[in-house]
Amino acid sequence: MRLGNDVVGATPQQDRTRFNPYFYAIAMDPSPPSLRLLVMMNLGFWGVQIGNGLQTAHASAVFESLGAEASQLPLLWLGAPLMGLLAQPIVGELSDRTVSRWGKRQPYFLGGAVIGAAMLVAMPMATSLMQAVALYWVLQLALNVSVAPSRPFVGDLLFPAHRTLGYSLQGFCIGLGTICAAGLPWILEHVFRLEPVSHAGIPDVIRGAYWVGAAVCLVGSLATFWAVDEPAPQAIALAEDEDRPPMLRAIAEALAELPPMMRQLAAVQALSWSGIYCIFLYLPNAIALNVLASPDRSLPSYTHSVEWAGLCIAFYNLVCLGVSWAIPSLSRRWGRVTVHACCLMAGSVGLLSLLLVHSRYPVLLSMVGLGIAWASILAIPYSLLMDELAEGQSGVYMGIFNGFVTLPQIVMSLGFGWVMKTLLQDNRLWALALGGILLGLAALLMLRVPEPARALGGEPSTLAPAPK
């Protein structure tokens, strides 16, 4: 049995309701989504996030195992933001205008997942740094093709009153996927008895984790593809699609007419994701090499320290899971802007506190703040933006919005190696502290964003799950 709605999820924009009375009616009285629909629509997204979590948790360890230096990591990671910058607006615009028997979003989602699964199998088999980097870039392209339609997919399937819940569930899936990815090496060693070291460069437990992740990515995406029907496009939307300009012109026009909320969130997103990028680059090896003092990569103690770092990543994502469920009710009570600013400040405190940590278990306390910030970063900005987007433009604008995530990371990839080597003296903990400062600045800027006015029908714009 395939799941889905008969109509596209409504947006609260008054100009849309003038042309479609039924659109107005469903916005005023939306039906709550079923638990089965919520689970199945996010199952494939969860699988893709395991693949994304594997490269987040272990890509730096893979590169350093094959001979990379700490100052080289930002440049080696360039593929992630660059592929996101190029792929997401294009795939978002293409999915906005796609009409097929399989839907408008899912063909891209499944295609990216299949290629991504193949790259997850191949990347840990690389025998040189250049091979690993090349495979990593293709993996990033595939993951971005798959992720690009997933944000507007929520807007298509859920009504406005349920979108904060929908994006919080996506944040939950990202956290759960990262937990699985970060914990897989530990499970493979202690449960399945794989060797913690390898004479080929990349530890066997890391290689096995990539292969398990590839299988879950593929199976989860296939399950969503077959179980969920996308809503049929309405006649008005089809008529508008016939008048759409060519793709590149449509992207250029969208760039020239950014929604006010996107402009207000731009600096917040840029600072937030610059701080998060420091975590992606240096957290695992900062814990292993700086906090736990295991510098010899040829010894099992180094692999054990990397595994512990993976468990720390899993822990902050476990915190993210719990906070994701609380975000809708917290937003309803205090407003999304205030909640997001507080969560970002918690992440800042968590990262800065790592400077005071010198043993394993206190690291977990620092991870609490990071998990709180991560849950909010993955949900609230997208919920705020989606409320301002027209149905036929959600894909392209979500892709452009991703530019405020990827452009700062590209700048850091090109220049942070010099900062790391010259100013930070290759100290990974100092890089994480800088990330904490950036998150703190993002929190202060968020307080300057006005809380959205009341939405259609007089309901508060701080959306929460419908009552049972």
Side-chain angles (χ1 to χ4, degrees), residues 309-392:
L311 292 178
C312 291
I313 294 173
F315 180 76
Y316 87 67
N317 280 277
L318 183 63
V319 174
C320 170
L321 301 191
V323 176
S324 294
W325 289 109
I327 279 178
S329 58
L330 292 174
S331 297
R332 179 178 56 196
R333 183 177 180 87
W334 286 295
R336 286 176 286 184
V337 170
T338 302
V339 169
H340 191 45
C342 292
C343 290
L344 290 174
M345 190 59 70
S348 175
V349 172
L351 283 178
L352 290 170
S353 68
L354 285 172
L355 294 172
L356 306 176
V357 174
H358 304 290
S359 58
R360 289 192 173 199
Y361 294 102
V363 177
L364 299 179
L365 294 177
S366 301
M367 296 298 102
V368 172
L370 187 53
I372 292 171
W374 189 227
S376 183
I377 288 170
L378 296 174
I380 290 181
Y382 300 97
S383 173
L384 288 167
L385 177 61
M386 192 67 190
D387 287 352
E388 289 198 359
L389 300 183
E391 170 195 332

Side-chain angles (χ1 to χ4, degrees), residues 6-161:
D6 294 330
V7 294
V8 178
T11 64
Q13 294 185 329
Q14 297 282 356
D15 59 334
R16 302 285 297 179
T17 58
R18 285 203 304 267
F19 297 100
N20 193 339
Y22 183 64
F23 209 128
Y24 181 85
I26 61 174
M28 295 293 290
D29 186 24
S31 301
S34 68
L35 178 61
R36 188 180 178 193
L37 172 61
L38 290 172
V39 170
M40 294 308 300
M41 68 184 284
N42 283 298
L43 188 60
F45 186 75
W46 168 68
V48 171
Q49 291 308 317
I50 289 182
N52 195 51
L54 282 167
Q55 60 86 17
T56 299
H58 304 299
S60 290
V62 169
F63 293 153
E64 292 198 32
S65 295
L66 295 172
E69 300 293 335
S71 59
Q72 294 177 313
L73 292 179
L75 190 58
L76 298 180
W77 272 68
L78 179 62
L82 185 60
M83 292 300 103
L85 180 66
L86 296 176
Q88 294 215 20
I90 294 175
V91 174
E93 170 63 19
L94 287 174
S95 69
D96 280 342
R97 62 176 73 214
T98 294
V99 178
S100 74
R101 58 179 295 187
W102 301 287
K104 60 194 300 186
R105 316 290 184 191
Q106 295 222 64
Y108 303 95
F109 184 78
L110 181 61
V114 170
I115 298 173
M119 294 302 102
L120 286 171
V121 172
M123 184 175 168
M125 299 174 66
T127 57
S128 70
L129 181 60
M130 291 306 299
Q131 287 181 10
V133 171
L135 292 168
Y136 170 79
W137 279 53
V138 179
L139 170 62
Q140 286 302 320
L141 175 61
L143 292 177
N144 276 285
V145 168
S146 190
V147 168
S150 63
R151 296 293 186 181
F153 188 56
V154 170
D156 293 344
L157 288 173
L158 302 182
F159 299 116

